[in-house]
Amino acid sequence: MSLNLFTEYTLPPLVSALLFFVLGVFVLRKNKNKALAWSFFLICLATIWWQFCWFILFNVQSAQLASILVRVGYAGIIFISVFLFHFSLILLKDLKVIKTFDKFLLWLAYGLSAVFEFSLFFTNTFVQGYYVYFWGYYPRVGWMHLVYVALTLFLITRIVILLIKAYRKPTTSALQKSQMKYFVVAQIFYNLAAVDFLVNYGVEFYPFAFVFILVFLSITAYIIMTQRFMNVRPVLRNSTVYLSSLIIVLVPALVVKYWLDAVLPSFIYWIDFLAVVAMLSIFPYIRNCVNRFANKYLFSSLYDIKQVVAELSDKLGTTLDTAKIYEVITKILGGALHMKGLSFITISEVKSRYRVPYSHSFTWPKKLAKQPLYDFIFKDFVVKNKILSVDELKAAGSSKAKRLAKDLEKIKLELVVPLIVNDKPIGVMVLGKKESKDSYSHEDLELLRIIGAQTAIALENALLYEETKKFNAKLIKEVDKATHDLKQANQELKTLDHAKSDFISIASHQLRTPLTVIKGYSSMMLEGSFGPMPKPIRNHLRKVYDSNERLIDLVDDLLNISRIESGRLQFNFTSGQLDEMVKGVVEELKPSAAKKGLALKFIKPKTSLPPLKMDKTKLRQVVINLIDNAIKYTEKGWVKVSLRFDGPAIKFCVADSGIGIKDSTMPHLFKKFSRGEKTSIIYTEGSGLGLYVGKMMIEAHNGRIWAESKGEGKGSEFCFEIPISKQQTTNSK
Ligand code: ADP
């Protein structure tokens, strides 16, 4: 035997055997556990067997060897049809088209194949001998071969019927359908290889079945790459890109080289050298182009879900800007899915009001004129958190759905992905067809589901942030306005207060003169300056005089208040002895205390007091008021006045056994016009001004004034203290 390897006749079977080997091993390695991959590998194995045996057969010179090889080669061919059938059954397993009959048929086919194998090796009924053609030996077949051809035809017909049935099922996804379409075409090519049978019957032509099986191989590789057929991952992509680039560079380079060799034979070496340099320099560029082209049109569904999701999380996590979110999603999704357009529709709180805040290469109608369409999308799909695919919609059956599917197709829309946060739809993401026109795969939908959820949360956050920002701005505006209003109101109040003070001041001044005149004349009359007066008239006059005194006090208080509030109260500080002044006042008030049967006592300071800088008139007024109050608000018992020099301050107190002060009254005591609850019953004429004026006076002396009481009916004590060191030295405040 002499082998004449690698002629144009022997090479084709070798090449196809090698390619099938690569594909078979590749699919198997990436899908180790899958029955589908195994059955595909068996098809490849049988094909390799067949092609490799033919490669050897076409090379042998010995008739004896040829008579063995024709049988050994057929041993592989016999199994191809049953393996194809088995593969189809596994492929269609979940689509509910396979009947018990098919299972029976499968076993029968295996059984018959075994019978064929038997007759192949032990009888002459399958292969009878060989023909010698111009390219070499080729098997000559017997009647059993006809049975084999019949079985093959039957199995192929059954495969086609099953595929058509599965294709028509509404439950079959668009991706499965397109896989099936390709698979049917691939099958047809594989079965065209059966023309080689004619050669078995003496028709002489070179058995070019390898052309058809190579087409089958290419289509299978294509569906594996683009349709996620049998889940083969992107490794295949890189090798394909590399190989295609190599062919693109190599073929023209070789053509040019041979042409130049012929035209310029003397420069052969230079031409070779230049060809190599040219190829090397152009290769990376070509590979890039092929890669880009392939990514866009062939491998649009080849991406790594985890990687895409991670990239998206990364980018979405750093922004609260809706525009940026839309951009990021367009870029990342575009990179993975290569869709023709992407758009977002949001739904506002006021239901049924839609907005398209972002649209990327989408022929989206400007005004959302098709309200029913959006209502349909939102009410029927989004709330169910389901991705709406136009394919499914068309298959849904209802005429309304079909009409809407048409509308969606018109605007080239393919998928609608709901954006839902906490069961509340906030909008949808709308995708156009893929650039490659392939359908969206299960994996694509899975990716979109994950991205939809992520996007929804990111958008919701961004929208909330925007809302908060807007609310903040609004709040600032309102606070500004309120502040302005308050300032204005305050100004108005100040003006009013001023007017009131002026009024009181003027009124009091006008009152003071006649009151002084009344006081002067009534006092002179009481003293007898106008002659003796009968006793009853004198008593009445006394009352006039007392009431006039009270009026004068009241007017004085009012005048003081208006002066204090307008800052016009003048103080005249001189040095003096407080104890002397207090003693004088106590003496002065003793008669009125005695009138009520009260004991008014002055407890003198144990140590002599230092001189105090004070406005004597005003401080005297305070002392009088405090002692007078104690007498007024004590029905029986005593009033004790005390003075002492306590550290740096002189402290004055008036204690009584009178009506006491309720806790609730305490905080209001030193306020303007404030009187205790039951006070007015005991003493009707009070104005509630005395303590307020007193407080002002004491504070002008840098001192403080306060009251203490154990409660109603338990007496009270009013005190003030004026520090010696911090005394006011100026004349006014
Ligand atoms: P008036 O005595 O004219 O009402 P004041 O400003 O002097 O005004 O006093 C305010 C209020 O403080 C009084 O109405 C009274 O309720 C309470 N008060 C003042 N001194 C005493 C006291 N010694 N015992 C009980 N209550 C007092």
Side-chain angles (χ1 to χ4, degrees):
M1 176 186 105
S2 78
L3 288 180
N4 181 20
L5 295 168
F6 312 132
T7 68
E8 62 266 46
Y9 300 120
T10 60
L11 258 182
L14 179 67
V15 170
S16 57
L18 281 176
L19 288 177
F20 266 87
F21 179 73
V22 171
L23 183 70
V25 169
F26 183 81
V27 168
L28 192 64
R29 253 196 48 203
K30 299 287 166 184
N31 294 270
K32 265 178 217 147
N33 305 321
K34 291 208 174 109
L36 195 68
W38 268 109
S39 70
F40 186 79
F41 182 70
L42 287 179
I43 297 173
C44 293
L45 210 60
T47 312
I48 295 162
W49 183 285
W50 157 36
Q51 293 291 304
F52 191 71
C53 287
W54 269 207
F55 164 67
I56 309 275
L57 181 68
F58 295 174
N59 270 306
V60 293
Q61 306 292 313
S62 131
Q64 203 188 356
L65 202 58
S67 67
I68 296 171
L69 272 173
V70 287
R71 288 170 201 266
V72 174
Y74 244 108
I77 298 176
I78 286 174
F79 277 113
I80 289 175
S81 49
V82 65
F83 284 164
L84 264 173
F85 185 61
H86 199 160
F87 176 80
S88 309
L89 292 193
I90 296 174
L91 183 70
L92 302 175
K93 197 174 75 190
D94 297 328
L95 294 175
K96 298 200 173 99
V97 286
I98 295 162
K99 306 247 159 63
T100 332
F101 164 72
D102 295 299
K103 286 177 191 158
F104 168 75
L105 188 59
L106 183 67
W107 287 116
L108 182 74
Y110 272 117
L112 282 174
S113 300
V115 171
F116 297 147
E117 292 287 339
F118 179 84
S119 46
L120 177 67
F121 286 106
F122 300 104
T123 71
N124 273 335
T125 50
F126 203 96
V127 169
Q128 288 181 334
Y130 51 79
Y131 292 108
V132 184
Y133 291 120
F134 61 87
W135 67 87
Y137 294 99
Y138 206 75
R140 190 157 62 88
V141 293
W143 67 266
M144 189 62 107
H145 187 267
L146 280 175
V147 182
Y148 161 74
V149 171
L151 175 72
T152 301
L153 276 177
F154 189 76
L155 289 179
I156 286 163
T157 317
R158 185 66 196 157
I159 291 174
V160 172
I161 289 172
L162 287 178
L163 279 169
I164 289 172
K165 269 192 185 166
Y167 188 86
R168 284 202 176 149
K169 280 236 154 171
T171 44
T172 308
S173 75
L175 177 75
Q176 283 168 322
K177 279 184 187 173
S178 76
Q179 283 177 354
M180 277 176 208
K181 260 194 277 182
Y182 284 112
F183 185 59
V184 167
V185 176
Q187 277 251 334
I188 288 172
F189 274 99
Y190 200 98
N191 292 310
L192 281 177
V195 291
D196 277 12
F197 290 150
L198 290 174
V199 190
N200 293 129
Y201 292 95
V203 184
E204 180 168 1
F205 59 87
Y206 178 73
F208 53 90
F210 69 89
V211 178
F212 298 121
I213 61 173
L214 285 181
V215 174
F216 166 82
L217 187 104
S218 320
I219 296 174
T220 314
Y222 176 81
I223 37 180
I224 284 174
M225 285 186 289
T226 67
Q227 309 282 302
R228 297 205 151 266
F229 194 49
M230 298 194 287
N231 280 326
V232 175
R233 306 216 56 85
V235 191
L236 198 58
R237 165 173 58 176
N238 296 336
S239 36
T240 311
V241 166
Y242 217 81
L243 210 69
S244 323
S245 317
L246 205 65
I247 291 169
I248 290 174
V249 174
L250 212 58
V251 171
L254 285 177
V255 170
V256 173
K257 177 194 133 53
Y258 281 115
W259 177 68
L260 284 178
D261 282 352
V263 181
L264 306 162
S266 44
F267 292 101
I268 271 188
Y269 295 113
W270 280 108
I271 289 167
D272 282 1
F273 175 71
L274 283 177
V276 170
V277 171
M279 280 188 321
L280 283 179
S281 47
I282 206 172
F283 183 76
Y285 174 73
I286 295 286
R287 199 190 52 201
N288 261 349
C289 288
V290 173
N291 202 11
R292 238 177 299 142
F293 175 84
N295 273 341
K296 200 161 173 184
Y297 294 104
L298 295 182
F299 313 117
S300 58
S301 53
L302 283 186
Y303 53 83
D304 189 335
I305 279 205
K306 275 191 224 137
Q307 213 174 317
V308 176
V309 171
E311 193 185 348
L312 193 78
S313 315
D314 234 34
K315 298 227 162 106
L316 286 188
T318 55
T319 182
L320 276 172
D321 177 4
T322 42
K324 185 91 193 294
I325 291 174
Y326 295 136
E327 256 172 49
V328 163
I329 290 166
T330 309
K331 197 162 160 247
I332 293 178
L333 265 190
L337 301 177
H338 300 278
M339 66 280 169
K340 279 187 180 155
L342 178 76
S343 191
F344 286 86
I345 310 174
T346 53
I347 181 163
S348 65
E349 288 286 312
V350 192
K351 276 270 173 295
S352 308
R353 285 203 50 222
Y354 308 107
R355 221 164 60 80
V356 180
Y358 179 85
S359 208
H360 176 75
S361 9
F362 225 108
T363 42
W364 196 260
K366 261 201 179 142
K367 289 249 159 92
L368 291 178
K370 306 221 166 196
Q371 184 82 8
L373 182 70
Y374 302 104
D375 281 348
F376 178 74
I377 290 177
F378 275 89
K379 295 203 174 105
D380 285 24
F381 283 88
V382 173
V383 289
K384 288 185 205 149
N385 202 354
K386 252 179 79 175
I387 293 185
L388 161 67
S389 104
V390 174
D391 275 346
E392 270 174 42
L393 201 58
K394 271 196 288 187
S398 89
S399 61
K400 184 184 169 199
K402 278 192 178 131
R403 223 178 28 250
L404 288 163
K406 253 191 203 154
D407 281 342
L408 292 174
E409 261 185 342
K410 248 187 243 158
I411 48 175
K412 305 232 165 50
L413 187 151
E414 183 82 6
L415 282 184
V416 180
V417 183
L419 304 174
I420 292 183
V421 181
N422 295 336
D423 298 332
K424 192 186 93 192
I426 61 165
V428 291
M429 189 160 75
V430 170
L431 281 84
K433 278 192 186 314
K434 284 190 177 184
E435 304 241 25
S436 60
K437 300 217 170 57
D438 286 335
S439 312
Y440 286 91
S441 66
H442 281 307
E443 208 158 1
D444 294 339
L445 297 186
E446 193 49 46
L447 174 74
L448 285 170
R449 215 164 281 136
I450 298 171
I451 288 190
Q454 275 190 336
T455 309
I457 291 168
L459 269 183
E460 172 86 346
N461 285 345
L463 290 173
L464 278 179
Y465 178 68
E466 261 169 29
E467 220 169 78
T468 316
K469 250 179 26 189
K470 267 188 213 154
F471 180 69
N472 218 4
K474 200 174 145 202
L475 211 63
I476 289 175
K477 241 190 212 165
E478 276 179 10
V479 168
D480 279 353
K481 190 177 171 286
T483 313
H484 177 257
D485 288 355
L486 272 177
K487 271 186 189 157
Q488 208 167 347
N490 197 28
Q491 196 52 46
E492 277 166 20
L493 277 177
K494 269 188 186 160
T495 319
L496 270 178
D497 199 47
H498 227 77
K500 179 213 71 187
S501 298
D502 284 352
F503 169 75
I504 291 177
S505 164
I506 292 166
S508 315
H509 272 295
Q510 297 302 325
L511 281 172
R512 199 135 187 358
T513 324
L515 288 176
T516 317
V517 173
I518 293 172
K519 177 185 164 110
Y521 280 106
S522 50
S523 146
M524 281 160 73
M525 283 159 89
L526 284 172
E527 279 164 10
S529 304
F530 302 108
M533 202 181 288
K535 208 173 177 187
I537 295 180
R538 206 183 145 77
N539 284 344
H540 290 308
L541 192 59
R542 181 91 236 161
K543 282 178 186 156
V544 170
Y545 180 82
D546 286 348
S547 298
N548 191 54
E549 278 295 284
R550 276 202 304 276
L551 260 178
I552 288 173
D553 283 350
L554 177 65
V555 168
D556 275 348
D557 279 346
L558 287 174
L559 269 174
N560 276 334
I561 287 172
S562 82
R563 281 187 197 128
I564 289 167
E565 288 179 351
S566 61
R568 282 184 281 120
L569 187 65
Q570 300 283 315
F571 286 85
N572 183 19
F573 289 96
T574 51
S575 186
Q577 283 303 126
L578 190 60
D579 44 352
E580 277 169 22
M581 187 237 273
V582 172
K583 199 175 149 200
V585 173
V586 170
E587 286 307 318
E588 216 171 282
L589 290 176
K590 263 198 175 146
S592 52
K595 225 185 205 172
K596 286 186 80 178
L598 301 173
L600 174 60
K601 262 198 219 159
F602 176 45
I603 303 161
K604 283 181 194 142
K606 283 176 190 142
T607 53
S608 62
L609 297 183
L612 181 70
K613 276 210 168 149
M614 56 184 171
D615 182 317
K616 282 180 192 145
T617 327
K618 300 201 168 65
L619 213 53
R620 187 165 189 278
Q621 207 179 325
V622 178
V623 171
I624 291 177
N625 184 256
L626 289 180
I627 302 175
D628 190 42
N629 272 354
I631 297 169
K632 269 190 315 197
Y633 300 115
T634 306
E635 294 295 288
K636 56 177 186 198
W638 44 262
V639 174
K640 284 177 196 159
V641 179
S642 62
L643 247 187
R644 60 186 156 127
F645 180 47
D646 202 4
I650 293 178
K651 186 177 173 191
F652 166 88
C653 285
V654 187
D656 62 50
S657 58
I659 59 168
I661 302 160
K662 269 206 318 199
D663 278 354
S664 57
T665 313
M666 269 301 176
H668 308 289
L669 267 188
F670 294 91
K671 288 182 184 160
K672 221 190 293 184
F673 302 112
S674 155
R675 302 199 69 205
E677 248 172 56
K678 292 176 184 161
T679 319
S680 43
I681 307 169
I682 296 168
Y683 182 68
T684 41
E685 285 93 351
S687 62
L689 290 174
L691 288 180
Y692 173 71
V693 173
K695 185 171 182 261
M696 295 295 156
M697 304 287 189
I698 297 297
E699 280 171 3
H701 283 79
N702 282 329
R704 67 183 186 99
I705 184 167
W706 70 95
E708 285 166 18
S709 169
K710 291 203 169 105
E712 234 175 340
K714 291 183 180 162
S716 38
E717 185 173 30
F718 282 76
C719 299
F720 67 75
E721 60 179 15
I722 297 173
I724 298 290
S725 52
K726 283 194 198 164
Q727 270 184 50
Q728 181 99 24
T729 46
T730 51
N731 262 16
S732 66
K733 174 162 178 179

